Coordinates of all heavy atoms in Angstrom, one line a residue:
E55 N -47.5 -50.4 2.6 CA -47.0 -49.2 1.9 C -46.4 -48.2 2.9 O -47.0 -47.9 3.9 CB -48.2 -48.6 1.2 CG -47.8 -47.4 0.3 CD -49.0 -46.9 -0.5 OE1 -50.0 -47.5 -0.6 OE2 -48.9 -45.7 -1.0
F56 N -45.2 -47.8 2.6 CA -44.5 -46.8 3.4 C -44.3 -45.5 2.6 O -44.4 -45.5 1.4 CB -43.1 -47.3 3.8 CG -43.1 -48.6 4.6 CD1 -42.2 -49.6 4.3 CD2 -44.0 -48.7 5.7 CE1 -42.2 -50.7 5.1 CE2 -44.0 -49.9 6.4 CZ -43.1 -50.9 6.1
G57 N -44.1 -44.4 3.3 CA -44.0 -43.1 2.7 C -42.7 -42.9 2.0 O -41.8 -43.8 2.0
D58 N -42.6 -41.8 1.3 CA -41.4 -41.5 0.5 C -40.1 -41.4 1.4 O -39.0 -41.7 0.8 CB -41.6 -40.1 -0.2 CG -42.6 -40.2 -1.3 OD1 -42.9 -41.3 -1.8 OD2 -43.2 -39.1 -1.7
D59 N -40.2 -41.1 2.7 CA -39.1 -41.1 3.5 C -38.4 -42.5 3.6 O -37.3 -42.7 4.0 CB -39.4 -40.5 4.9 CG -40.5 -41.3 5.6 OD1 -41.5 -41.7 4.9 OD2 -40.4 -41.5 6.8
L60 N -39.2 -43.6 3.3 CA -38.7 -44.9 3.3 C -38.7 -45.5 1.9 O -38.9 -46.7 1.7 CB -39.6 -45.8 4.3 CG -39.5 -45.4 5.8 CD1 -40.5 -46.2 6.6 CD2 -38.1 -45.6 6.3
G61 N -38.5 -44.7 0.9 CA -38.4 -45.1 -0.4 C -39.7 -45.4 -1.1 O -39.7 -45.9 -2.3
G62 N -40.8 -45.2 -0.4 CA -42.1 -45.5 -1.0 C -42.4 -47.0 -1.1 O -43.3 -47.4 -1.9
F63 N -41.6 -47.8 -0.4 CA -41.8 -49.3 -0.4 C -43.3 -49.6 -0.4 O -44.0 -49.2 0.4 CB -41.1 -49.9 0.8 CG -41.2 -51.4 0.9 CD1 -40.2 -52.2 0.3 CD2 -42.3 -52.0 1.5 CE1 -40.3 -53.6 0.4 CE2 -42.4 -53.4 1.5 CZ -41.4 -54.1 1.0
T64 N -43.7 -50.4 -1.4 CA -45.0 -50.9 -1.6 C -45.0 -52.4 -1.9 O -44.3 -52.8 -2.8 CB -45.8 -50.1 -2.7 OG1 -45.7 -48.7 -2.4 CG2 -47.2 -50.5 -2.7
L65 N -45.8 -53.1 -1.1 CA -45.9 -54.6 -1.3 C -47.3 -55.0 -1.7 O -48.3 -54.6 -1.1 CB -45.6 -55.2 0.1 CG -45.7 -56.8 0.2 CD1 -44.6 -57.4 -0.7 CD2 -45.5 -57.2 1.6
W66 N -47.3 -55.8 -2.8 CA -48.6 -56.4 -3.3 C -48.6 -57.8 -3.0 O -47.6 -58.5 -3.0 CB -48.7 -56.2 -4.8 CG -49.0 -54.8 -5.2 CD1 -50.2 -54.2 -5.5 CD2 -48.0 -53.8 -5.5 NE1 -50.0 -52.9 -5.9 CE2 -48.7 -52.6 -5.9 CE3 -46.6 -53.7 -5.3 CZ2 -48.0 -51.4 -6.2 CZ3 -46.0 -52.5 -5.6 CH2 -46.7 -51.4 -6.1
G67 N -49.8 -58.3 -2.7 CA -49.9 -59.8 -2.4 C -51.4 -60.1 -2.2 O -52.3 -59.2 -2.2
T68 N -51.6 -61.4 -1.9 CA -53.0 -61.8 -1.6 C -53.2 -62.0 -0.1 O -54.3 -61.9 0.4 CB -53.3 -63.1 -2.3 OG1 -52.3 -64.1 -2.0 CG2 -53.3 -63.0 -3.9
S69 N -52.1 -62.1 0.6 CA -52.1 -62.2 2.1 C -50.7 -62.2 2.6 O -49.7 -62.4 1.8 CB -52.9 -63.4 2.6 OG -52.1 -64.6 2.3
F70 N -50.5 -61.9 3.8 CA -49.1 -61.9 4.4 C -48.5 -63.3 4.5 O -47.3 -63.3 4.6 CB -49.1 -61.2 5.7 CG -49.2 -59.7 5.6 CD1 -50.4 -59.0 6.0 CD2 -48.2 -58.9 5.1 CE1 -50.5 -57.7 5.9 CE2 -48.3 -57.5 5.0 CZ -49.5 -56.9 5.4
D71 N -49.2 -64.3 4.4 CA -48.7 -65.7 4.5 C -48.4 -66.3 3.1 O -48.0 -67.4 3.0 CB -49.5 -66.6 5.3 CG -50.9 -66.8 4.7 OD1 -51.4 -66.0 3.9 OD2 -51.5 -67.9 5.0
K72 N -48.5 -65.5 2.1 CA -48.1 -65.9 0.7 C -47.1 -65.0 0.2 O -47.0 -63.8 0.6 CB -49.4 -65.8 -0.2 CG -50.6 -66.6 0.3 CD -50.4 -68.0 -0.1 CE -51.8 -68.7 0.2 NZ -51.6 -70.0 0.7
P73 N -46.2 -65.4 -0.8 CA -45.2 -64.6 -1.4 C -45.8 -63.3 -2.0 O -46.9 -63.4 -2.6 CB -44.5 -65.5 -2.4 CG -44.8 -66.9 -1.9 CD -46.2 -66.8 -1.3
G74 N -45.1 -62.2 -2.0 CA -45.5 -61.0 -2.6 C -44.5 -60.3 -3.5 O -43.4 -60.8 -3.6
I75 N -44.9 -59.2 -4.1 CA -44.0 -58.5 -4.9 C -43.9 -57.0 -4.4 O -45.0 -56.4 -4.2 CB -44.4 -58.5 -6.4 CG1 -44.4 -59.9 -6.9 CG2 -43.6 -57.5 -7.2 CD1 -45.0 -60.0 -8.3
A76 N -42.7 -56.5 -4.1 CA -42.6 -55.2 -3.6 C -41.8 -54.3 -4.6 O -41.0 -54.8 -5.5 CB -41.8 -55.2 -2.3
V77 N -42.1 -53.0 -4.6 CA -41.4 -52.0 -5.4 C -41.0 -50.9 -4.5 O -41.7 -50.5 -3.7 CB -42.3 -51.5 -6.6 CG1 -41.5 -50.5 -7.4 CG2 -42.7 -52.7 -7.5
T78 N -39.8 -50.4 -4.7 CA -39.3 -49.3 -3.9 C -38.2 -48.5 -4.7 O -37.6 -49.1 -5.6 CB -38.7 -49.8 -2.6 OG1 -38.4 -48.7 -1.7 CG2 -37.4 -50.6 -2.8
T79 N -37.9 -47.3 -4.3 CA -36.7 -46.6 -4.8 C -35.5 -47.2 -4.0 O -35.7 -47.6 -2.9 CB -36.8 -45.1 -4.6 OG1 -37.0 -44.8 -3.2 CG2 -38.0 -44.5 -5.4
P80 N -34.3 -47.2 -4.6 CA -33.2 -47.8 -4.0 C -32.8 -47.0 -2.7 O -32.9 -45.8 -2.6 CB -32.1 -47.6 -5.0 CG -32.8 -47.6 -6.3 CD -34.1 -46.9 -6.0
Y81 N -32.4 -47.8 -1.7 CA -32.1 -47.3 -0.4 C -30.9 -46.3 -0.5 O -30.8 -45.3 0.2 CB -31.7 -48.4 0.6 CG -31.2 -48.0 1.9 CD1 -32.1 -47.5 2.9 CD2 -29.9 -48.0 2.3 CE1 -31.7 -47.1 4.1 CE2 -29.5 -47.5 3.5 CZ -30.4 -47.1 4.4 OH -30.0 -46.7 5.7
N82 N -29.9 -46.6 -1.4 CA -28.7 -45.7 -1.5 C -29.0 -44.5 -2.3 O -28.1 -43.7 -2.6 CB -27.6 -46.5 -2.1 CG -27.8 -47.0 -3.6 OD1 -28.8 -46.6 -4.2 ND2 -26.9 -47.8 -4.1
K83 N -30.2 -44.2 -2.7 CA -30.6 -43.0 -3.5 C -30.0 -43.0 -4.9 O -30.2 -42.0 -5.6 CB -30.3 -41.7 -2.7 CG -30.8 -41.7 -1.3 CD -32.3 -41.7 -1.2 CE -32.7 -41.5 0.2 NZ -33.9 -42.2 0.6
E84 N -29.4 -44.0 -5.3 CA -28.9 -44.1 -6.7 C -30.0 -44.5 -7.6 O -31.1 -44.9 -7.2 CB -27.8 -45.2 -6.8 CG -26.5 -44.9 -6.0 CD -25.7 -43.7 -6.5 OE1 -25.6 -43.5 -7.7 OE2 -25.2 -43.0 -5.6
R85 N -29.8 -44.3 -8.9 CA -30.8 -44.7 -9.9 C -31.1 -46.2 -9.9 O -30.2 -47.0 -9.9 CB -30.4 -44.2 -11.3 CG -31.4 -44.4 -12.4 CD -31.1 -43.5 -13.6 NE -32.1 -43.7 -14.6 CZ -33.4 -43.3 -14.6 NH1 -33.8 -42.6 -13.5 NH2 -34.2 -43.6 -15.6
A86 N -32.4 -46.5 -9.9 CA -32.8 -48.0 -10.0 C -32.5 -48.4 -11.5 O -32.8 -47.7 -12.4 CB -34.3 -48.1 -9.7
T87 N -31.9 -49.6 -11.6 CA -31.6 -50.2 -12.9 C -32.1 -51.6 -12.9 O -32.0 -52.3 -11.8 CB -30.2 -50.1 -13.3 OG1 -29.4 -50.7 -12.3 CG2 -29.7 -48.7 -13.4
A88 N -32.5 -52.1 -14.0 CA -32.9 -53.5 -14.1 C -31.7 -54.4 -14.2 O -30.8 -54.1 -15.0 CB -33.8 -53.7 -15.3
G89 N -31.6 -55.5 -13.4 CA -30.4 -56.3 -13.5 C -30.5 -57.2 -14.7 O -31.5 -57.8 -15.1
N90 N -29.3 -57.4 -15.4 CA -29.2 -58.2 -16.5 C -29.2 -59.7 -16.0 O -28.3 -60.1 -15.3 CB -28.0 -57.9 -17.3 CG -27.9 -58.7 -18.6 OD1 -28.9 -59.1 -19.1 ND2 -26.7 -58.9 -19.1
G91 N -30.2 -60.5 -16.4 CA -30.3 -61.8 -15.9 C -31.2 -62.0 -14.8 O -31.5 -63.1 -14.4
N92 N -31.6 -60.9 -14.1 CA -32.6 -61.0 -13.0 C -34.0 -61.0 -13.6 O -34.3 -60.4 -14.6 CB -32.5 -59.8 -12.1 CG -31.1 -59.8 -11.4 OD1 -30.4 -60.7 -11.3 ND2 -30.8 -58.6 -10.9
M93 N -34.9 -61.8 -13.0 CA -36.2 -61.9 -13.4 C -37.1 -62.4 -12.2 O -36.7 -63.2 -11.4 CB -36.4 -62.9 -14.6 CG -37.8 -63.0 -15.1 SD -37.9 -64.2 -16.4 CE -37.8 -65.7 -15.5
L94 N -38.3 -61.9 -12.2 CA -39.3 -62.3 -11.2 C -40.4 -63.1 -11.9 O -40.9 -62.6 -12.9 CB -39.9 -61.0 -10.5 CG -41.0 -61.3 -9.5 CD1 -40.3 -61.9 -8.3 CD2 -41.6 -59.9 -9.1
A95 N -40.7 -64.3 -11.4 CA -41.7 -65.2 -12.1 C -42.9 -65.2 -11.2 O -42.8 -65.4 -10.0 CB -41.1 -66.5 -12.3
I96 N -44.1 -65.1 -11.9 CA -45.4 -65.2 -11.2 C -46.1 -66.4 -11.6 O -46.4 -66.6 -12.8 CB -46.2 -63.9 -11.5 CG1 -45.4 -62.6 -11.2 CG2 -47.5 -63.9 -10.8 CD1 -45.9 -61.3 -11.7
A97 N -46.4 -67.3 -10.7 CA -47.1 -68.5 -11.0 C -48.6 -68.3 -11.2 O -49.2 -67.6 -10.5 CB -46.9 -69.5 -9.9
M98 N -49.1 -68.9 -12.3 CA -50.5 -68.8 -12.6 C -51.1 -70.3 -12.6 O -50.3 -71.2 -12.8 CB -50.7 -68.2 -14.0 CG -50.1 -66.9 -14.2 SD -51.1 -65.5 -13.9 CE -51.0 -65.2 -12.2
D99 N -52.4 -70.4 -12.4 CA -53.0 -71.7 -12.4 C -53.6 -72.1 -13.7 O -54.2 -73.2 -13.8 CB -53.9 -71.9 -11.2 CG -55.1 -70.9 -11.3 OD1 -55.2 -70.1 -12.2 OD2 -55.9 -71.0 -10.4
E100 N -53.6 -71.2 -14.7 CA -54.2 -71.5 -16.0 C -53.3 -70.8 -17.1 O -52.9 -69.7 -16.9 CB -55.6 -71.0 -16.1 CG -56.6 -71.7 -15.2 CD -58.0 -71.0 -15.3 OE1 -58.2 -70.3 -16.3 OE2 -58.8 -71.2 -14.4
R101 N -53.2 -71.4 -18.3 CA -52.5 -70.8 -19.4 C -53.2 -69.5 -19.8 O -52.6 -68.5 -20.2 CB -52.4 -71.8 -20.5 CG -51.4 -72.9 -20.2 CD -51.2 -73.8 -21.4 NE -50.3 -74.9 -21.1 CZ -49.8 -75.7 -22.0 NH1 -50.3 -75.7 -23.3 NH2 -49.0 -76.7 -21.7
A102 N -54.5 -69.5 -19.7 CA -55.3 -68.3 -20.1 C -54.9 -67.1 -19.2 O -54.9 -66.0 -19.7 CB -56.8 -68.5 -20.1
K103 N -54.6 -67.4 -18.0 CA -54.2 -66.3 -17.1 C -52.8 -65.8 -17.4 O -52.5 -64.6 -17.2 CB -54.3 -66.8 -15.6 CG -55.7 -67.0 -15.2 CD -55.8 -67.4 -13.7 CE -57.2 -67.7 -13.3 NZ -57.3 -68.2 -11.9
V104 N -51.9 -66.7 -17.9 CA -50.6 -66.3 -18.4 C -50.8 -65.3 -19.5 O -50.2 -64.2 -19.5 CB -49.7 -67.5 -18.8 CG1 -48.5 -67.0 -19.5 CG2 -49.4 -68.4 -17.6
D105 N -51.6 -65.7 -20.5 CA -51.9 -64.8 -21.6 C -52.4 -63.5 -21.2 O -52.0 -62.4 -21.7 CB -52.9 -65.5 -22.6 CG -52.4 -66.8 -23.2 OD1 -51.2 -67.2 -23.0 OD2 -53.3 -67.5 -23.7
A106 N -53.4 -63.5 -20.3 CA -54.0 -62.3 -19.8 C -53.1 -61.4 -19.1 O -53.1 -60.1 -19.3 CB -55.2 -62.6 -19.0
L107 N -52.2 -61.9 -18.3 CA -51.3 -61.1 -17.5 C -50.3 -60.4 -18.5 O -49.9 -59.2 -18.3 CB -50.6 -61.8 -16.4 CG -49.9 -61.0 -15.4 CD1 -50.8 -60.1 -14.6 CD2 -49.0 -61.8 -14.4
H108 N -49.8 -61.2 -19.4 CA -48.8 -60.7 -20.4 C -49.5 -59.5 -21.2 O -48.9 -58.4 -21.4 CB -48.4 -61.8 -21.4 CG -47.4 -61.4 -22.4 ND1 -47.8 -61.0 -23.7 CD2 -46.1 -61.2 -22.4 CE1 -46.8 -60.7 -24.4 NE2 -45.7 -60.8 -23.6
A109 N -50.7 -59.7 -21.6 CA -51.5 -58.7 -22.4 C -51.7 -57.5 -21.5 O -51.6 -56.3 -22.0 CB -52.8 -59.3 -22.9
K110 N -52.0 -57.7 -20.3 CA -52.3 -56.5 -19.4 C -51.0 -55.7 -19.2 O -51.0 -54.5 -19.2 CB -52.8 -57.1 -18.0 CG -53.1 -56.0 -17.0 CD -54.4 -55.3 -17.5 CE -54.9 -54.3 -16.4 NZ -56.1 -53.6 -16.9
A111 N -49.9 -56.4 -19.0 CA -48.6 -55.7 -18.9 C -48.3 -54.8 -20.1 O -47.9 -53.7 -20.0 CB -47.4 -56.7 -18.7
L112 N -48.5 -55.3 -21.3 CA -48.3 -54.6 -22.5 C -49.3 -53.4 -22.6 O -48.9 -52.3 -23.0 CB -48.4 -55.5 -23.7 CG -47.4 -56.6 -23.8 CD1 -47.5 -57.4 -25.1 CD2 -46.0 -56.2 -23.5
E113 N -50.5 -53.7 -22.2 CA -51.6 -52.6 -22.3 C -51.2 -51.5 -21.3 O -51.4 -50.3 -21.6 CB -52.9 -53.2 -21.8 CG -54.0 -52.3 -21.6 CD -55.2 -52.9 -20.9 OE1 -55.5 -54.1 -21.3 OE2 -55.8 -52.3 -20.0
L114 N -50.5 -51.8 -20.2 CA -50.1 -50.8 -19.2 C -48.8 -50.1 -19.6 O -48.3 -49.2 -18.8 CB -50.0 -51.4 -17.9 CG -51.3 -51.9 -17.3 CD1 -51.0 -52.8 -16.0 CD2 -52.2 -50.8 -16.9
G115 N -48.2 -50.4 -20.7 CA -47.0 -49.7 -21.1 C -45.7 -50.6 -21.0 O -44.6 -50.1 -21.3
G116 N -45.9 -51.8 -20.5 CA -44.7 -52.7 -20.4 C -44.3 -53.1 -21.8 O -45.0 -52.9 -22.8
S117 N -43.1 -53.8 -21.8 CA -42.6 -54.2 -23.1 C -42.5 -55.7 -23.2 O -42.3 -56.4 -22.2 CB -41.3 -53.6 -23.5 OG -40.3 -53.9 -22.5
D118 N -42.7 -56.3 -24.4 CA -42.7 -57.7 -24.6 C -41.3 -58.2 -24.6 O -40.4 -57.7 -25.2 CB -43.4 -58.0 -26.0 CG -43.4 -59.5 -26.3 OD1 -43.5 -60.3 -25.4 OD2 -43.3 -59.8 -27.5
E119 N -41.1 -59.3 -23.9 CA -39.8 -60.0 -23.8 C -40.0 -61.5 -24.3 O -39.0 -62.3 -24.1 CB -39.2 -60.0 -22.4 CG -38.6 -58.7 -22.1 CD -37.2 -58.5 -22.7 OE1 -36.3 -59.3 -22.5 OE2 -37.0 -57.4 -23.3
G120 N -41.1 -61.9 -24.7 CA -41.4 -63.2 -25.2 C -42.8 -63.6 -25.1 O -43.4 -63.6 -24.0
A121 N -43.5 -63.8 -26.2 CA -44.9 -64.0 -26.2 C -45.3 -65.3 -25.5 O -44.4 -66.2 -25.3 CB -45.4 -64.1 -27.7
P122 N -46.5 -65.4 -25.0 CA -46.9 -66.7 -24.3 C -46.8 -67.9 -25.2 O -47.0 -67.8 -26.4 CB -48.4 -66.4 -24.1 CG -48.6 -64.9 -24.1 CD -47.6 -64.4 -25.1
G123 N -46.3 -69.0 -24.6 CA -46.2 -70.2 -25.3 C -45.4 -71.2 -24.5 O -44.9 -71.0 -23.5
V124 N -45.4 -72.5 -25.1 CA -44.8 -73.6 -24.4 C -43.3 -73.5 -24.7 O -42.9 -73.3 -25.9 CB -45.3 -74.9 -24.9 CG1 -44.5 -76.1 -24.3 CG2 -46.8 -75.1 -24.5
R125 N -42.5 -73.6 -23.7 CA -41.0 -73.7 -23.8 C -40.7 -75.2 -23.5 O -41.0 -75.7 -22.4 CB -40.3 -72.8 -22.9 CG -40.1 -71.4 -23.4 CD -41.3 -70.6 -23.6 NE -41.0 -69.2 -24.0 CZ -42.0 -68.4 -24.2 NH1 -43.3 -68.7 -24.1 NH2 -41.7 -67.1 -24.5
G126 N -40.1 -75.9 -24.5 CA -39.9 -77.3 -24.3 C -41.0 -78.1 -24.8 O -41.7 -77.7 -25.7
D127 N -41.2 -79.3 -24.2 CA -42.2 -80.3 -24.6 C -43.5 -80.1 -23.9 O -43.5 -79.8 -22.7 CB -41.7 -81.7 -24.5 CG -40.5 -82.0 -25.3 OD1 -40.4 -81.4 -26.4 OD2 -39.6 -82.7 -24.9
E128 N -44.6 -80.4 -24.6 CA -45.9 -80.6 -23.9 C -45.9 -81.8 -23.0 O -45.1 -82.7 -23.2 CB -47.0 -80.7 -24.9 CG -47.6 -79.4 -25.5 CD -48.4 -78.6 -24.5 OE1 -48.5 -79.0 -23.3 OE2 -48.9 -77.6 -24.9
G129 N -46.8 -81.8 -22.0 CA -46.9 -83.0 -21.2 C -47.1 -82.5 -19.7 O -47.4 -81.4 -19.5
P130 N -47.0 -83.5 -18.8 CA -47.4 -83.2 -17.4 C -46.5 -82.1 -16.8 O -47.0 -81.4 -15.8 CB -47.2 -84.5 -16.7 CG -46.6 -85.4 -17.6 CD -46.6 -84.9 -19.0
Q131 N -45.3 -81.9 -17.3 CA -44.5 -80.8 -16.7 C -44.1 -79.8 -17.7 O -43.1 -79.1 -17.7 CB -43.2 -81.5 -16.2 CG -43.5 -82.5 -15.2 CD -42.6 -82.5 -14.0 OE1 -41.5 -82.0 -14.0 NE2 -43.1 -83.0 -12.9
A132 N -45.0 -79.5 -18.7 CA -44.8 -78.5 -19.7 C -44.7 -77.2 -19.1 O -45.4 -76.8 -18.1 CB -46.0 -78.5 -20.7
F133 N -43.8 -76.4 -19.6 CA -43.6 -75.0 -19.1 C -44.2 -74.0 -20.1 O -43.8 -73.9 -21.2 CB -42.1 -74.6 -18.9 CG -41.9 -73.3 -18.3 CD1 -41.8 -73.1 -16.9 CD2 -41.8 -72.2 -19.1 CE1 -41.6 -71.9 -16.4 CE2 -41.6 -70.9 -18.6 CZ -41.5 -70.7 -17.2

Side-chain angles (χ1 to χ4, degrees):
E55 184 175 344
F56 299 135
D58 291 339
D59 58 321
L60 294 173
F63 179 94
T64 305
L65 176 66
W66 288 264
T68 56
S69 68
F70 284 109
D71 64 337
K72 303 278 189 219
I75 297 172
V77 178
T78 190
T79 57
Y81 178 78
N82 65 5
K83 309 294 186 216
E84 298 291 324
R85 183 160 179 74
T87 58
N90 186 25
N92 296 340
M93 183 183 71
L94 179 67
I96 303 168
M98 305 266 88
D99 60 0
E100 296 176 17
R101 290 182 179 187
K103 291 180 182 177
V104 171
D105 298 348
L107 195 65
H108 181 264
K110 184 71 171 180
L112 300 185
E113 173 190 318
L114 294 168
S117 60
D118 181 32
E119 283 282 309
V124 174
R125 273 62 175 184
D127 297 327
E128 275 290 4
Q131 303 222 335
F133 183 90

